[in-house]
Amino acid sequence: MTDKKQKKGVKIFCDITKCLGCKACELACAVEHSKAKELALSIKEKPTPKKRRKVSGVEDKIMSFGCQHCEEAPCVAACMSSAMYKDPVTGETKHDKDKCVGCWMCIMVCPFSAIIQDVTDKVAMKCDLCPDNEDYACVAACPTNALFSGTPEEFKRRVEEKSSPAALKRTKIKSGV
Amino acid sequence: MRYCIIGGSAAGTSACEMIRGIDKKADITLITDEKFALYSRCLLSYLLAGSINEDKLKFKEKDFFERNKIEALLGVRVEKIDSKKRELGLSNKKKVTFDRLLIATGARPKEMGIPGEDKKGVFALRTIEDARGILNRSNKGVKRVAILGGGLIGMRDAYALGHKGFDIKVIVKSGQILSQMMEKEGAEIIEAHIKKFGVDVMKGLAATEILGKDEVSGIILDNGNKLDCELVIVGKGVAPNIELAKDIGLATKEGIIADDYLAASQDGIWTAGDVCEAKDLVTGEKTVNALWPCAVEQGRVAALNMAGKKTKYEGSQSMNSLDLFGLSTISIGVTKPKGAGYEILTSKTENSYKRLVIKGDILWGMTLVGKVENAGVYGILIRNKINISDYKKILLRDDFNYAKILPLIKKEAQKFCKPEFQDILLTY
Ligand SMILES: Cc1cc2nc3c(=O)[nH]c(=O)nc-3n(C[C@H](O)[C@H](O)[C@H](O)COP(=O)(O)OP(=O)(O)OC[C@H]3O[C@@H](n4cnc5c(N)ncnc54)[C@H](O)[C@@H]3O)c2cc1C
Ligand code: SF4
Ligand code: SF4
């Protein structure tokens, strides 16, 4: 485990202005959560590895989204078997597959469409921040840097910096406007 | 400060934890008449089905009471509250005093009130003892099971035992199963599905007598027919345990009436969980929403107020989730509206059914059968009373998800204070 993953409050954010809807993140997520962890082999796996991120249209834009690891996570409050819980160090919302009974109470209260039903094992499934990977698979796969891993403050700073007058000027020059 | 908590389940334990979090020095005593502590009642049907063992029923660590320095009196009943002396009379003849009291006594199964209900082999499912009893019995040559009542618990029982291969008959008086949870159309899809797994629903009927010498051998139905069975499970709903509260004159209706801070009608007493009648978010009326997450949340809020941190209870939302033989169902809010002015939208595909209840451009309730993964998104629209006038078609669509309502969230962003909503809006 890298130190990076011990940092508090890290989650995956999507810069909607940059998302193209290529679904590279969805694919990378499914592969990361396959047994083989490699595209060519993972597609043959049964059951087919499932993605925990979704890419979807928002009116005329597109976004990639998944578990927000909510501070006051509704899913944790709703889970009657304590399968959903908060990591006391990182604040990540974690899911213990062994405790889960597939009652879908968490799905009933998650505002972000972040939980998926694993119907084979009858358990809930969601973003686990890639515990077996030094990187975050979706972030690494994103060709436009729309996906970002960091704390909410870091994401805010990045967005603010991008929309500062200086940064806007830079983009305009680059794109030839 | 001395805190006493009656009832050691969802509401009681979450309250203890919260009080201890705020007040490190307080004396906290929890009294509960069950010996087996810290288990999640909701998991009992999974225990019956054999998908988990007793260890997995626990929702808190074994040392929960020690770690939180809570004096836990297990297997002890509170028989009397003396609100003047601030004292509780216990079944072990002892007395404990309190400065502040939480009544979290939950609910118990309603009885049928028919002859033969006391025979061996008749159960309700509420406690670990009930579950053990049913398991014990079902291992003794039981083949046929009658479930009296087609509500949530009845259906969960039916699933658990049907899953094990018993021949199950569900007897329901109304014209449909799950009549509290949803409309007929959704219920019929579920009924057809469970039939494939050996669960037979007999509608428009009620049991009038339970037959057998000492042990159950069958039931008589109100059409005069006899049904042979070796096990009967009564699933007629629950009644809040309000007797202690009534005895001291606390305001009660179905449950103990709680104000916006979950205080009962006398100073120094609060209430939470299945016994508590508090504000419903959607209707604004006082209701008992007998749900695990509500009990946990109410326990938390009551505790905050008990420990002096005045906190308003936002209200509970009526909702439920059920999974029967791989068919999932979730309903939230008002699903069976009474009165005029409601618009009902439905959509149906081969493996899913969706029903939305709308009034004045606001989503009031919904039922999903089959495809439920976006249930919580509808939930926040209902909870926050978001104007969905231009979104009705989108809400019905098969590819509906969180992204689809982002424009609505943006428009009414002031209703979504939690940081996660704001973070997503940063670039939209
Ligand atoms: C089989 C089953 C399945 C369920 N499934 C779900 C589900 O999927 N989702 C969901 O949200 N909810 C579900 N529920 C409901 C859920 O279990 C309850 O909402 C929840 O347990 C309420 O918690 P509570 O703390 O208010 O009360 P309870 O759990 O009822 O606990 C109250 C406790 O107080 C004790 N007590 C009562 N009177 C006294 C007294 N005088 N002295 C001492 N102790 C006393 C009782 O013995 C009990 O231990 C289910 C319930 C059952 C039975
Ligand atoms: S699963 Fe949903 S509710 Fe739970 S932390 Fe993630 S986004 Fe929040
Ligand atoms: S499906 Fe699993 S994680 Fe979700 S609430 Fe039920 S037990 Fe908890």
Side-chain angles (χ1 to χ4, degrees):
Chain A
M1 200 73 48
T2 56
D3 283 349
K4 188 174 134 207
K5 292 214 167 175
Q6 283 303 305
K7 204 164 124 187
K8 201 171 162 76
V10 174
K11 42 184 133 179
I12 314 294
F13 296 96
C14 173
D15 182 339
I16 302 176
T17 61
K18 287 182 176 171
C19 178
L20 298 175
C22 70
K23 302 200 177 195
C25 52
E26 285 190 353
L27 186 65
C29 181
V31 173
E32 176 65 27
H33 295 95
S34 67
K35 285 187 205 90
K37 296 198 188 292
E38 195 228 307
L39 179 61
L41 294 171
S42 66
I43 22 185
K44 291 187 204 130
E45 281 175 23
K46 284 266 174 319
T48 341
K50 268 200 165 186
K51 58 181 189 322
R52 293 127 195 254
R53 275 201 92 69
K54 291 175 189 166
V55 174
S56 175
V58 190
E59 287 190 317
D60 57 340
K61 300 198 178 72
I62 300 173
M63 76 186 274
S64 160
F65 58 106
C67 175
Q68 291 290 302
H69 300 279
C70 306
E71 262 172 52
E72 283 176 38
C75 60
V76 173
C79 180
M80 54 195 203
S81 71
S82 307
M84 285 285 185
Y85 65 101
K86 278 280 172 193
D87 184 298
V89 178
T90 62
E92 177 192 340
T93 304
K94 285 190 166 162
H95 178 250
D96 181 344
K97 194 175 159 176
D98 285 339
K99 284 191 175 167
C100 179
V101 293
C103 68
W104 320 128
M105 295 285 287
C106 51
I107 288 185
M108 181 166 80
V109 298
C110 171
F112 301 111
S113 308
I115 303 167
I116 289 144
Q117 293 173 300
D118 174 350
V119 285
T120 323
D121 291 340
K122 201 170 178 259
V123 289
M125 217 166 66
K126 65 169 204 69
C127 167
D128 56 3
L129 294 172
C130 303
D132 307 335
N133 191 330
E134 285 187 15
D135 228 327
Y136 302 97
C138 55
V139 178
C142 177
T144 66
N145 276 332
L147 291 186
F148 172 78
S149 61
T151 63
E153 294 71 34
E154 286 167 347
F155 182 60
K156 231 166 268 167
R157 232 175 292 138
R158 188 172 103 135
V159 173
E160 273 158 19
E161 195 197 313
K162 190 192 74 179
S163 53
S164 71
L168 283 177
K169 204 165 154 198
R170 274 201 302 277
T171 10
K172 275 184 193 156
I173 295 168
K174 248 198 261 166
S175 56
V177 181
Chain B
M1 188 68 76
R2 267 197 65 75
Y3 295 91
C4 276
I5 287 133
I6 316 178
S9 181
T13 51
S14 90
C16 284
E17 209 169 9
M18 182 50 94
I19 296 174
R20 179 54 77 219
I22 301 169
D23 188 343
K24 298 277 177 272
K25 285 197 224 117
D27 286 325
I28 308 175
T29 304
L30 178 141
I31 306 142
T32 191
D33 58 5
E34 288 190 80
K35 284 208 185 87
F36 189 81
L38 303 174
Y39 73 95
S40 175
R41 233 169 271 299
C42 320
L43 296 176
L44 291 174
S45 63
Y46 298 90
L47 181 74
L48 275 193
S51 30
I52 57 168
N53 57 26
E54 284 194 6
D55 274 349
K56 290 248 173 88
L57 288 177
K58 299 272 183 176
F59 67 96
K60 295 269 186 226
E61 318 72 47
K62 278 200 194 84
D63 62 348
F64 174 81
F65 292 126
E66 293 90 66
R67 219 164 20 86
N68 287 293
K69 299 202 184 59
I70 291 156
E71 181 193 11
L73 308 179
L74 307 181
V76 178
R77 233 187 125 62
V78 175
E79 289 181 333
K80 192 170 168 266
I81 302 173
D82 189 328
S83 45
K84 284 214 186 73
K85 283 199 202 149
R86 311 244 127 204
E87 200 175 75
L88 303 176
L90 309 181
S91 55
N92 60 9
K93 304 293 169 233
K94 294 199 176 123
K95 290 197 158 69
V96 289
T97 56
F98 65 86
D99 298 311
R100 299 195 172 156
L101 176 68
L102 178 71
I103 307 182
T105 46
R108 61 168 177 276
K110 282 187 192 154
E111 283 174 14
M112 294 280 293
I114 56 171
E117 217 172 339
D118 52 351
K119 291 199 195 313
K120 275 195 200 130
V122 183
F123 295 91
L125 181 62
R126 182 75 191 177
T127 64
I128 176 99
E129 293 302 331
D130 298 332
R132 285 174 182 157
I134 297 171
L135 279 172
N136 229 328
R137 174 92 190 168
S138 65
N139 290 332
K140 288 186 186 140
V142 168
K143 286 202 180 74
R144 294 157 300 184
V145 180
I147 294 179
L148 312 183
L152 273 161
I153 305 275
M155 295 321 293
R156 289 196 177 104
D157 295 337
Y159 164 68
L161 295 171
H163 182 74
K164 285 193 160 165
F166 293 103
D167 172 8
I168 314 277
K169 297 267 187 288
V170 180
I171 319 291
V172 268
K173 189 68 204 167
S174 69
Q176 67 166 98
I177 53 168
L178 299 169
S179 59
Q180 302 268 339
M181 183 181 177
M182 63 176 73
E183 255 303 303
K184 206 166 172 177
E185 203 176 349
E188 277 169 357
I189 299 173
I190 299 173
E191 194 187 320
H193 179 77
I194 60 178
K195 199 178 167 83
K196 290 187 247 165
F197 296 87
V199 177
D200 220 355
V201 178
M202 300 169 72
K203 286 172 293 192
L205 290 170
T208 53
E209 192 183 341
I210 297 171
L211 302 172
K213 230 172 151 193
D214 284 341
E215 311 208 349
V216 175
S217 63
I219 54 173
I220 303 271
L221 298 170
D222 57 357
N223 62 0
N225 285 354
K226 188 179 156 221
L227 194 74
D228 293 328
C229 59
E230 297 82 33
L231 178 61
V232 171
I233 301 185
V234 179
K236 282 280 157 194
V238 295
N241 293 319
I242 56 174
E243 290 71 16
L244 283 175
K246 266 182 131 169
D247 287 347
I248 56 165
L250 288 180
T252 59
K253 226 163 100 194
E254 189 197 342
I256 303 173
I257 307 279
D259 71 5
D260 281 353
Y261 302 89
L262 299 183
S265 63
Q266 287 173 19
D267 260 2
I269 306 181
W270 285 261
T271 180
D274 278 11
V275 74
C276 164
E277 191 163 339
K279 194 172 97 187
D280 181 282
L281 259 181
V282 179
T283 62
E285 286 161 22
K286 296 230 157 129
T287 333
V288 177
N289 273 327
L291 291 165
W292 184 267
C294 292
V296 173
E297 173 67 7
Q298 289 176 355
R300 238 174 50 86
V301 173
L304 281 163
N305 287 302
M306 290 169 78
K309 295 209 184 295
K310 200 156 179 151
T311 310
K312 199 163 171 173
Y313 178 58
E314 271 186 56
S316 61
Q317 195 169 10
S318 121
M319 49 169 98
N320 252 306
S321 164
L322 188 65
D323 192 293
L324 300 173
F325 305 100
L327 184 70
S328 334
T329 306
I330 292 180
S331 70
I332 303 181
V334 178
T335 55
K336 297 179 95 177
K338 291 184 193 88
Y342 288 95
E343 180 186 357
I344 309 288
L345 300 177
T346 58
S347 73
K348 209 169 164 177
T349 66
E350 201 193 325
N351 48 18
S352 76
Y353 169 74
K354 193 184 285 189
R355 182 172 190 277
L356 307 177
V357 176
I358 297 165
K359 187 179 186 180
D361 291 338
I362 304 264
L363 186 64
W364 279 69
M366 66 98 204
T367 304
L368 302 175
V369 180
K371 211 169 164 260
V372 299
E373 277 178 7
N374 296 294
V377 186
Y378 295 99
I380 55 166
L381 294 175
I382 298 170
R383 184 182 254 265
N384 295 294
K385 302 197 161 51
I386 299 304
N387 185 318
I388 52 142
S389 54
D390 302 330
Y391 275 73
K392 291 179 188 170
K393 281 215 183 85
I394 295 176
L395 258 54
L396 266 187
R397 262 169 40 190
D398 215 34
D399 64 351
F400 175 80
N401 60 32
Y402 176 72
K404 299 285 181 289
I405 63 155
L406 200 52
L408 294 180
I409 306 253
K410 189 174 178 180
K411 223 189 255 168
E412 301 196 45
Q414 78 285 355
K415 289 187 180 168
F416 298 92
C417 331
K418 290 206 173 155
E420 293 77 21
F421 290 104
Q422 302 297 332
D423 293 345
I424 295 182
L425 286 178
L426 276 176
T427 61
Y428 180 69

